[in-house]
Amino acid sequence: MTRSHLHKFGGSSLADADCYRRVAHILLTHGQSDDLVVVSAAGKTTNFLYKLLSLRDSGQLWQEELQILISYQQTLIEQLLSNEQARDLRERLSTDKSQLVSLLSLEQRNDYQLNQVVSFGERWSARLMAALLREMGVAATHVDACSILVADEGAVPNILVAESRDKVQALLALHPQERLVITGFICANRHGDTLLLGRNGSDFSATLIASLADIDRVTIWTDVEGVFNADPNKINDAKLLKSMSLAEADRLARLGSPVLHSRTLQPLFNTEVSLAVRSSYASHTDFTLIAPLSSSASAPVVTNLNEVVLFSFKMNADIEPLLAILDKAGITPLAYWSLAQHKFELALTLESQKQVQALLTQYSSEFLIEELSAQTDLGLVALVSADAHHFRRSFARLLSRDAKPIYQDALSLVTLVPQAQVSLLTQKVHRRCAGPRMRIGVLLLGVGNIGEAWIDLFKRASPVLDHELEASVELVGLVGSKKALISNDGINLEQWQQDYQQQGIEWDYDQLFDQLAQLSCDEIVALDISASAALTLQYPELFARGIHVVSANKLAGSGPLPFYRELKQQLSNRRLFWRYNASCGAGLPIQHALNDLRNSGDTIEAVGGIFSGTLCWLFENYDGSKPFSELVLHARSLGITEPDPRDDLSGRDMQRKLLILAREIGLAVELEDISLNSLVPQALAELSLEDFLARISELDDDLLQQYVAAAEQNKVLRYVASLDKVEGKLQAEVGLQWVDNNHPYANLTPGDNVFVIRSAFYQGNPLIIRGPGAGREVTAAAVQSDLVHICKDLLQE
């Protein structure tokens, strides 16, 4: 029967008697009766054994230090086991001590004898843990890994997989339903001589044995909770990763992760074994699961190395053959750069410097390697993710002039910087790329035609927006004139109308603001797509609560000057944004153009145009053949005018738009400063809608007379807004004008807006912006554009 789990415990998890008891508790509560267990030497035992060898080789006394080590092991035995179990382990420890004395007393020792000295720590741990489990009534046997792991000798032992698999499978068959506690760090050659598996050898033992035993899960229990998206000792808000792919984990390990070692991960490739990294000091907490077959990308991880070596050289070949040579030697560069004229740079860990130097020297004649130099005053900062390419732009923005260009592969972005910059750049990259994604909530105020068009647009744009902004932008609220629906989980864009009708509740502003305060959003942007004067009066409260605003509603931007100035003052006092490009010209970039001109040092001298798509449509289609009133009623039936056509014919809408533009170019003007010549006679202005429509023909005679008179002069009628400085005085008016047939205001597409800007830079040939100035789609697009600009502003450093 296949066993499902292998647990590995490092030296820090076995430092004292309490640690052993904790490990035993973990095995009883988190495992099965037939689990495998791999253990390292307790505490600093291995370091102590190396110290004994060092003392012996330098001719210093080592006997007292050996007694300290033996006493440490004896204390563990006494504190953990009853007399019978303790007596057996004490006798074995006494035998081991005699063997250690014998080995340390030799005048000369071969490598196998050195390995034998160092291997005692793991043997003691396995023996003691198995005895402790038996003490607790659990069937358990300790196993010397030299009996199951066979290797050819080399700089690092090369495991003979087929032979070792047979031995492991035979061992499992011999001990069914029994916990096997196996030594880590050691194996043997075919003659049974002890070999050491090197740095992180115990972790490698664990994953290797798991792959040979066909086990589903390896858990490495250590003194940390798992893999974090940055070093939690250096980054305060580093977060534990609950999962990551094996490929990501391997790249992170190769770039210097203190938790993982690349060699540990290699046995897991091409298997179905998953690896969990957990804390033996907090077994109840979350942990990191590394899944070999995972195709999903985890959150990005930022890592660094304070010291690296950068080899620079010139050679007559491409770098790939050299990389293959390094790979064969077990060396993977941290990053490399191919420069011009066959110049190359290789970034490597300091521990590989001598080996790489030797290889470059060895192959110098074959590749004609010259100008070889090594730089060691640099550090490395890297980001690891299966989606690494998504973060390149954000990463690159943070680099100083001293940084190396970003090296990019399928799983990482890497740069080198002066060592003094490593810590700060790591923090910046984590905050920008790997920290919590900013959540920006969007509140839609106005769920009519334009609101519906905006939601359709937002639904299509959301995936691209989330990717480009590297933030989560979610619709969290829908507010109409009677109902409101606020959801911290976000509004379902596929069924928002149904949810709004069924779940929306009556609201008032106090209640609305309280609900918004409960949202778990980093920022909130309110989209005012209403025409509500009452809503514009709430702008000060929105700003006071830190809520940004996008306005298609013209009433705030064209409100009383003191109110407008108060809003602008609130914005300047805090990092708040208010954009209202949709309030003039729908999607046309008129306000962008005015701001760009002013920012470039230009001076705006005049702004004019036709700012109403409705009035443009009416006068482009009016040719005197039919009464003007008939044309108005036809436009009303097509939905081109407002329900009450006087809202368009009065010119008040264009007057407000001109006021907004005037203020945008820095003029302190009120609505009353703009002369308004309405198309609606005073006698019709105060009537009910029904009475007005009954008497709408009273518009016809005057307009026909003006049309005929203008035509006699080869001119056409257009309803125009204009703002100009004449002899230092401001002249602003909105009304009917006769314009030449070749004027920019003539021959427009019905429904267009046109803006004409004259400035110091644009004198004889003014800047003209023309296009659709009305319609739900273009207005929704303008609102979306303003929203994206605010989101980008919020994400700036």
Side-chain angles (χ1 to χ4, degrees), residues 440-443 445 513 516 523-530 535-554 556-557 567-568 570-571 575-582 782-783 785-791 793-794:
I440 301 174
V442 182
L443 175 69
L445 299 157
F513 287 132
L516 295 177
E523 305 283 352
I524 297 176
V525 183
L527 312 183
D528 180 5
I529 310 181
S530 75
L535 177 53
T536 62
L537 294 177
Q538 296 296 324
Y539 278 24
E541 186 64 22
L542 287 168
F543 292 154
R545 292 174 178 267
I547 297 173
H548 314 276
V549 176
V550 172
S551 298
N553 186 339
K554 290 174 278 293
L567 296 181
K568 289 292 188 177
Q570 281 188 275
L571 298 176
R575 191 168 180 264
L576 290 167
F577 300 101
W578 175 31
R579 299 183 71 91
Y580 40 88
N581 286 287
V783 170
S785 175
D786 278 350
L787 171 62
V788 171
H789 275 93
I790 288 179
C791 291
D793 286 338
L794 291 172

Side-chain angles (χ1 to χ4, degrees), residues 69-140:
L69 180 59
I70 296 299
S71 297
Y72 169 63
Q73 296 296 326
Q74 286 176 332
T75 300
L76 289 174
I77 293 170
E78 300 297 339
Q79 291 178 340
L80 291 170
L81 303 177
S82 63
N83 288 335
E84 183 177 349
Q85 292 258 29
R87 182 169 57 252
D88 179 56
L89 260 65
R90 280 197 301 269
E91 291 174 357
R92 292 189 179 209
L93 184 62
S94 177
T95 301
D96 292 341
K97 178 182 178 182
S98 298
Q99 189 174 357
L100 273 168
V101 170
S102 176
L103 288 168
L104 289 167
S105 298
L106 293 172
E107 287 297 325
Q108 292 185 331
R109 290 174 299 280
N110 60 33
D111 289 342
Y112 304 129
Q113 291 166 326
L114 292 173
N115 295 343
Q116 184 75 4
V117 171
V118 176
S119 69
F120 274 102
E122 275 69 25
R123 294 189 169 101
W124 290 335
S125 287
R127 195 183 296 163
L128 181 55
M129 179 53 66
L132 177 59
L133 290 172
R134 291 193 297 271
E135 183 90 4
M136 302 173 76
V138 176

